[in-house]
Amino acid sequence: MRNLLTVLMVVSFFVLSGCSSKSLETPGSIPQPLPTVPSDYAGKTIPSNADVSAGANLFKTDCVTCHGENGHGDGPASQTLDPRPANLVDLSKIAADDFLFWKISTGIDGTAMPAWKGILTDQQIWQVIAFIRILK
Ligand code: HEC
């Protein structure tokens, strides 16, 4: 009886630890509700002529390492990051243009997410956003 209990405890330990290591493989969480966009950025909308294919190229060069080919937060570097890169497809469903433009411009302090303002032009950031919008 005692042995059976020990076996059960050992088994449940492995089951539980299996679950927690699995959650480490899921992409970073998206804050909900999303933080309020500061006034410098609030209300900005994507230019209707934003070039999606230019955005696709920029995304490949600048974002895929962390966010993954399809923006799912699963790029080659993602496993080593804490917090993990966001799933941009999930985020895109709930975030307005101004939110994305703000976050990509200013980055996120204390995480691997760089500020792209000054590296990419505003036009290029909009192109990247146009590409994120078509990811599935
Ligand atoms: C070096 C790794 C890295 C690169 C390169 C990178 N990101 Fe990120 N990004 C992150 C991480 C990590 C987070 C999650 C931060 C958090 O959870 O607070 C993030 C978060 C984001 C967010 C979500 C912000 C939020 O508040 O949820 C957006 C949007 C984003 N990245 C877009 C991009 C775009 C577009 C590029 C390319 C131009 C890019 N990232 C390049 C690591 C990276």
Side-chain angles (χ1 to χ4, degrees), residues 27-31 34-35 55 58-67 77-78 81-88 91-92 95 99-105 107-116 120 124-125 128-129 132:
S29 58
I30 293 166
L34 292 177
L58 290 166
F59 192 84
K60 209 173 264 172
T61 326
D62 293 331
C63 320
V64 163
T65 335
C66 296
H67 289 279
S78 67
L81 301 177
D82 181 18
R84 301 280 306 277
N87 181 328
L88 299 179
L91 180 66
S92 180
F99 182 91
L100 294 174
F101 187 79
W102 164 47
K103 285 295 181 173
I104 296 167
S105 297
I108 304 173
D109 279 349
T111 79
M113 175 61 187
W116 291 96
L120 300 178
Q124 288 175 315
I125 294 176
V128 171
I129 294 172
I132 291 172

